[in-house]
Amino acid sequence: MEKVQNVSQSMEVLELRTYRDLQYVRSMETLMRSLDARLRAADGSVSAKSFQELKDRMTELLPLSSVLEQYKADTRTIVRLREEVRNLSGNLAAIQEEMGAYGYEDLQQRVMALEARLHACAQKLGCGKLTGVSNPITIRAMGSRFGSWMTDTMAPSADSRVWYMDGYYKGRRVLEFRTLGDFIKGQNFIQHLLPQPWAGTGHVVYNGSLFYNKYQSNVVVKYHFRSRSVLVQRSLPGAGYNNTFPYSWGGFSDMDFMVDESGLWAVYTTNQNAGNIVVSRLDPHTLEVVRSWDTGYPKRSAGEAFMICGVLYVTNSHLAGAKVYFAYFTNTSSYEYTDVPFHNQYSHISMLDYNPRERALYTWNNGHQVLYNVTLFHVISTAGDP
């Protein structure tokens, strides 16, 4: 029920944003028609300079026509999605009322069917292309120059625990704060002592477990917080480690784990890929590689990287003046160079990770824990789209 409510709330936000954008683009359509009429009516009485200015203005506005059609289609899609969520809510309520009338297997199948439909709705809603990064929001200044902090990307909205890991090698101590407010105040936390030390700062918490690189190895470790045990560990085939292929800032950052809207990822490099970034989709249960892509981008030239909607975004530096410079699209196995600036306030980023639940970038910047909000250009997929 909570998942359905979250999707419903996300739809309301998206609908409002799409409506506002639609009004803006429609006003541009009116302006385009006016300019077109003026161009058609232009004769010898119009100076060459004025005529050229009109043509230039018209050329600038022409791309908006396709955007307008997309927004019109998106609005119709949102109406259909809203009805789908209503149906999901009704079916879920019916299951709750009839719990006693169903056997476990039958009930489980119905819930799984609902989850599949809900996932289909969420996939249509959530994704977009990165177009902007907000000004930094400093949460706290704590720890050394290098480290990692995060929340669980799969936790329900009521779960706001924060995990904190200071340092970039041989560490074993993970602090778990009850809420973000507790993290800011430095109170109400428990300590986890990992059975094996970590390397780098590319850790991620996903569905109650910590995924990290075991020190001096290319082994991925999945540590479950509730049971305080390692559920599985596995070598990442061919992955460099021990500062063989780190990001530009070093720090044993050979292996970087990420979670976006579509699941768990690993970013690393192998000798076979000549030092270029490899991005692999991982099975979160077994840690086996599902599929890999060679991005062609040299890892030592990257400051940091993060995944949003199946797209790997790479910064060109970890120092002041850094920007999001490169994007690799796993759905098409293609790339493009980008120019998305962001303010590197404390001049030394050693961890940069996207949280799809909060639509925010988590950063460790020279001993400061910092958040950035992101702006995504949303194109809602419809049935039959690739």
Side-chain angles (χ1 to χ4, degrees):
M1 183 65 82
E2 183 176 352
K3 288 181 181 179
V4 174
Q5 291 171 349
N6 287 342
V7 171
S8 182
Q9 292 170 1
S10 298
M11 284 187 59
E12 290 176 6
V13 172
L14 183 59
E15 183 176 20
L16 178 61
R17 181 168 60 243
T18 305
Y19 175 78
R20 290 173 177 172
D21 290 345
L22 183 60
Q23 297 307 307
Y24 170 76
V25 177
R26 278 177 173 162
S27 69
M28 291 298 99
E29 184 183 37
T30 302
L31 179 57
M32 287 171 62
R33 288 174 177 168
S34 173
L35 283 171
D36 186 56
R38 290 172 65 185
L39 277 172
R40 293 178 184 278
D43 53 26
S45 62
V46 179
S47 68
K49 181 180 179 181
S50 297
F51 186 77
Q52 188 60 44
E53 287 177 353
L54 281 172
K55 285 188 66 177
D56 291 344
R57 182 65 174 144
M58 189 67 188
T59 301
E60 291 175 5
L61 291 173
L62 277 176
L64 285 175
S65 59
S66 60
V67 175
L68 174 66
E69 293 307 313
Q70 179 64 56
Y71 273 119
K72 288 178 179 177
D74 289 351
T75 303
R76 292 191 293 270
T77 302
I78 285 177
V79 172
R80 292 196 298 269
L81 287 175
R82 189 195 300 119
E83 186 61 32
E84 179 73 4
V85 170
R86 283 176 182 161
N87 292 339
L88 284 171
S89 300
N91 288 345
L92 192 59
I95 286 179
Q96 287 177 325
E97 292 176 0
E98 301 168 359
M99 287 280 284
Y102 291 90
Y104 173 77
E105 291 184 1
D106 189 15
L107 184 61
Q108 186 182 41
Q109 288 177 359
R110 295 190 69 182
V111 171
M112 287 175 63
L114 281 175
E115 285 182 341
R117 293 170 64 193
L118 183 60
H119 180 70
C121 282
Q123 286 294 102
K124 292 178 180 178
L125 279 174
C127 279
K129 182 178 179 181
L130 179 70
T131 57
V133 178
S134 74
N135 287 324
I137 305 166
T138 301
I139 302 300
R140 189 176 180 187
M142 177 183 178
S144 64
R145 193 178 189 187
F146 312 97
S148 184
W149 74 294
M150 64 216 84
T151 58
D152 192 336
T153 56
M154 282 285 287
S157 56
D159 184 349
S160 59
R161 287 177 294 170
V162 174
W163 286 270
Y164 169 91
M165 302 168 69
D166 190 14
Y168 65 82
Y169 77 107
K170 296 173 69 174
R172 295 175 58 199
R173 182 169 169 260
V174 182
L175 300 185
E176 177 186 311
F177 293 84
R178 188 177 61 184
T179 66
L180 181 62
D182 289 330
F183 174 68
I184 293 171
K185 297 174 183 176
Q187 64 183 23
N188 293 326
F189 64 88
I190 60 175
Q191 176 176 293
H192 299 269
L193 193 63
L194 300 178
Q196 299 158 333
W198 72 69
T201 59
H203 332 298
V204 69
V205 176
Y206 180 50
N207 201 20
S209 293
L210 172 71
F211 296 80
Y212 71 95
N213 175 209
K214 179 183 174 183
Y215 179 60
Q216 290 190 325
S217 76
N218 62 1
V219 172
V220 187
V221 179
K222 178 181 180 180
Y223 175 84
H224 188 240
F225 284 117
R226 180 174 293 178
S227 65
R228 295 179 177 263
S229 64
V230 173
L231 297 185
V232 64
Q233 55 183 339
R234 182 183 295 274
S235 293
L236 199 55
Y241 62 94
N242 206 29
N243 262 349
T244 304
F245 297 114
Y247 289 124
S248 60
W249 63 273
F252 297 88
S253 56
D254 303 77
M255 296 167 64
D256 193 0
F257 303 104
M258 311 170 182
V259 170
D260 71 353
E261 291 80 357
S262 54
L264 177 67
W265 303 84
V267 168
Y268 56 100
T269 294
T270 68
N271 285 319
Q272 291 81 0
N273 292 88
N276 293 329
I277 291 177
V278 176
V279 56
S280 291
R281 178 82 179 272
L282 300 184
D283 184 314
H285 304 292
T286 66
L287 300 183
E288 293 179 336
V289 173
V290 178
R291 185 180 172 186
S292 295
W293 294 260
D294 181 354
T295 67
Y297 193 93
K299 192 162 185 287
R300 287 182 175 273
S301 298
E304 272 287 344
F306 55 92
M307 295 288 298
I308 299 180
C309 299
V311 180
L312 178 72
Y313 293 96
V314 179
T315 69
N316 63 341
S317 173
H318 61 284
L319 302 173
K323 61 182 178 181
V324 181
Y325 179 72
F326 178 85
Y328 186 87
F329 303 88
T330 59
N331 63 332
T332 58
S333 299
S334 62
Y335 70 89
E336 69 179 23
Y337 288 95
T338 61
D339 187 8
V340 181
F342 65 94
H343 181 38
N344 187 351
Q345 185 171 3
Y346 303 106
S347 303
H348 197 288
I349 292 176
S350 60
M351 170 254 175
L352 181 60
D353 229 351
Y354 171 70
N355 187 310
R357 184 182 72 166
E358 301 169 11
R359 296 286 172 81
L361 295 173
Y362 279 65
T363 305
W364 189 292
N365 196 336
N366 215 351
H368 298 78
Q369 292 74 50
V370 180
L371 287 177
Y372 295 88
N373 292 313
V374 297
T375 301
L376 304 179
F377 179 78
H378 293 265
V379 178
I380 304 174
S381 62
T382 56
D385 286 349

